[in-house]
Amino acid sequence: MSRRVVVTGSQGFIGRNLMVALARSDEVDASGFDINDSRQQLADALAGCDVVYHLAGINRPQDPSDFWAGNARFTAELSNMLVAKGSRPLVVFASSTQAELDNAYGRSKLEAERELADWSEYSGGSVVVFRLPNVFGKWCRPNYNSVVATFCHRIARDLPIRVDDPRANLRLAYVDDVVRALLDAAGTEARGCRFGAVHPVVELTVGELAAQIRALHDACHSPDVPDLATPFARALFATYLSYLEADDRAFSFDLRSDDRGDLAELLREPHGGQVFVSRTRPGVTRGNHYHDTKVERFMVIVGEGLIRLRDLGSASIEEYRVSGNAPQAVIIPPGVTHSIQNTGDVDLVTLFWADEVFDPEQPDTYFEPVMRDQESP
């Protein structure tokens, strides 16, 4: 039987990401509630539900009094609806680290936590409270309450950003990690009211964030891939790309051409090497060189070809017939001279990967014919 789930604030930033994740499960029947839905619709959805993700709230109103109405008072209404319907679901509440501070927003969130704690004690229901830091990720609204969304949106459009204090500290959680924590909380059996936690939370300054997003912008339309060695770096890169306008999602690389065919780089990454694609004319052979340390992989994706390998100092030649109809990767170890020949009637398209970015000052590429009768690369 499907688990019945209600999500308040379902069209907001976190709510939208959560609803998409819930929709992937055949074991969940999720109902979304947002500001345009009536209180009666919410009350009907709460009857007999198993889990409530309470994400709705106010965080940047025009009138500060709306903090209380949208956070504390609405949560009290939600609690009363649960009592009236006789429902005792698990309530997972998206609070804020601001609840630990003495400001209007924080006080309204703290009072909402108390409302749910009182409901839990009265009804015997369960509550998990997440005091979330700044959350970033796809679909977050720029120029609202997320500095990451604002910076990504503006930098992607070559607009200036405002940095009042570059040394100001930020604590950031990625929306996918938040959604994962919310979903995991639904699997708990503990009764009463307790706190949940999202991991990881990354700390950095506003100036560092701005610099990282600018670097992503500079690398976006070139073969150079930014350093993605950490989960935060990958999450920030994914977030930045989600703010690109449609016209910026496709771009052209420089094409290098000669009598043999064409070559274009797809990507370069300092710690992961580079990927490029070549087009070789029928009958043409590329390569006839070896590397001291560099390693490569070849994959033909269109056409028919013959890859030849020969260990230095050996007369024995290995041959691999390759075809775009049945792609396979051929590994090129160091100290092995190699070539690839187009044996078909159409251009041969090959995908290449090398474990280092090509450096013309130290190319680690030395001419050596695979077959002794070949005299030029």
Side-chain angles (χ1 to χ4, degrees):
M1 185 171 63
S2 296
R3 173 180 283 191
R4 292 186 56 201
V5 174
V6 174
V7 180
T8 71
S10 59
Q11 295 178 29
F13 163 45
I14 298 176
R16 183 179 174 188
N17 280 273
L18 178 61
M19 290 294 288
V20 168
L22 290 169
R24 293 194 288 261
S25 174
D26 294 331
E27 299 177 355
V28 171
D29 178 13
S31 299
F33 172 86
D34 213 87
I35 192 168
N36 293 322
D37 298 310
S38 70
R39 293 292 199 270
Q40 187 59 51
Q41 287 175 293
L42 175 59
D44 292 341
L46 292 174
C49 68
D50 300 296
V51 181
V52 176
Y53 289 106
H54 182 28
L55 312 181
I58 299 292
N59 54 20
R60 184 159 289 200
Q62 304 230 340
D63 184 344
S65 66
D66 289 340
F67 279 130
W68 201 258
N71 295 324
R73 194 178 307 153
F74 177 63
T75 302
E77 286 185 59
L78 178 71
S79 300
N80 291 334
M81 290 179 191
L82 290 172
V83 171
K85 294 295 183 179
S87 295
R88 291 196 306 170
L90 168 68
V91 178
V92 181
F93 176 47
S95 186
S96 167
T97 53
Q98 294 287 311
E100 303 166 10
L101 305 177
D102 187 18
N103 56 50
Y105 175 59
R107 289 192 295 271
S108 69
K109 281 293 191 180
L110 182 61
E111 181 60 26
E113 292 178 9
R114 290 170 176 161
E115 290 286 351
L116 290 174
D118 289 345
W119 168 80
S120 173
E121 184 175 359
Y122 172 80
S123 67
S126 302
V127 176
V128 181
V129 175
F130 285 87
R131 287 184 172 176
L132 299 175
N134 292 312
V135 181
F136 72 99
K138 63 184 183 297
W139 305 330
C140 189
R141 177 179 167 187
N143 304 313
Y144 184 56
N145 68 332
S146 167
V147 64
V148 177
T150 300
F151 282 4
C152 287
H153 176 84
R154 295 187 67 82
I155 289 173
R157 288 155 179 76
D158 293 313
L159 298 173
I161 61 172
R162 176 179 172 179
V163 179
D164 293 328
D165 182 2
R167 295 171 297 177
N169 290 317
L170 292 170
R171 298 180 73 248
L172 300 175
Y174 184 45
V175 69
D176 285 9
D177 296 321
V178 172
V179 168
R180 191 174 300 111
L182 296 177
L183 294 175
D184 288 346
T188 60
E189 299 293 337
R191 288 290 171 184
C193 185
R194 63 182 182 84
F195 286 98
V198 174
H199 301 286
V201 174
V202 175
E203 298 189 25
L204 75 168
T205 67
V206 174
E208 290 169 337
L209 175 67
Q212 289 188 38
I213 296 175
R214 286 193 180 103
L216 297 178
H217 173 72
D218 293 341
C220 185
H221 291 163
S222 81
D224 295 307
V225 175
D227 187 350
L228 304 178
T230 66
F232 174 72
R234 291 193 295 275
L236 190 61
F237 187 42
T239 300
Y240 173 76
L241 294 179
S242 74
Y243 287 91
L244 291 180
E245 294 187 286
D247 291 346
D248 287 333
R249 292 181 179 178
F251 56 97
S252 300
F253 290 140
D254 292 335
L255 190 65
R256 302 172 189 171
S257 302
D258 57 27
D259 292 341
R260 298 172 297 171
D262 309 313
L263 184 146
E265 289 182 285
L266 175 62
L267 60 86
R268 294 188 300 252
E269 201 278 319
H271 306 293
Q274 64 185 136
V275 175
F276 51 97
V277 62
S278 75
R279 185 183 299 274
T280 304
R281 308 288 184 244
V284 170
T285 298
R286 287 182 180 272
N288 282 313
H289 58 238
Y290 69 93
H291 314 290
D292 278 339
T293 303
K294 183 188 301 184
V295 296
E296 296 176 315
R297 291 185 183 183
F298 296 177
M299 177 183 285
V300 168
I301 54 177
V302 175
E304 307 290 329
L306 180 63
I307 296 175
R308 295 185 175 96
L309 308 180
R310 179 174 61 80
D311 286 3
L312 295 181
S314 170
S316 177
I317 297 176
E318 304 167 16
E319 294 188 345
Y320 301 88
R321 294 203 171 271
V322 288
S323 170
N325 294 323
Q328 59 178 325
V330 177
I331 297 170
I332 314 297
V336 176
T337 187
H338 50 277
S339 66
I340 180 169
Q341 178 185 2
N342 184 347
T343 59
D345 299 324
V346 298
D347 285 357
L348 182 73
V349 180
T350 309
L351 196 64
F352 297 88
W353 170 78
D355 71 334
E356 64 180 36
V357 174
F358 180 77
D359 181 355
E361 299 298 322
Q362 296 180 314
D364 189 13
T365 300
Y366 307 96
F367 170 66
E368 173 70 23
V370 178
M371 303 174 70
R372 297 295 188 180
D373 59 348
Q374 294 179 336
E375 298 181 354
S376 61

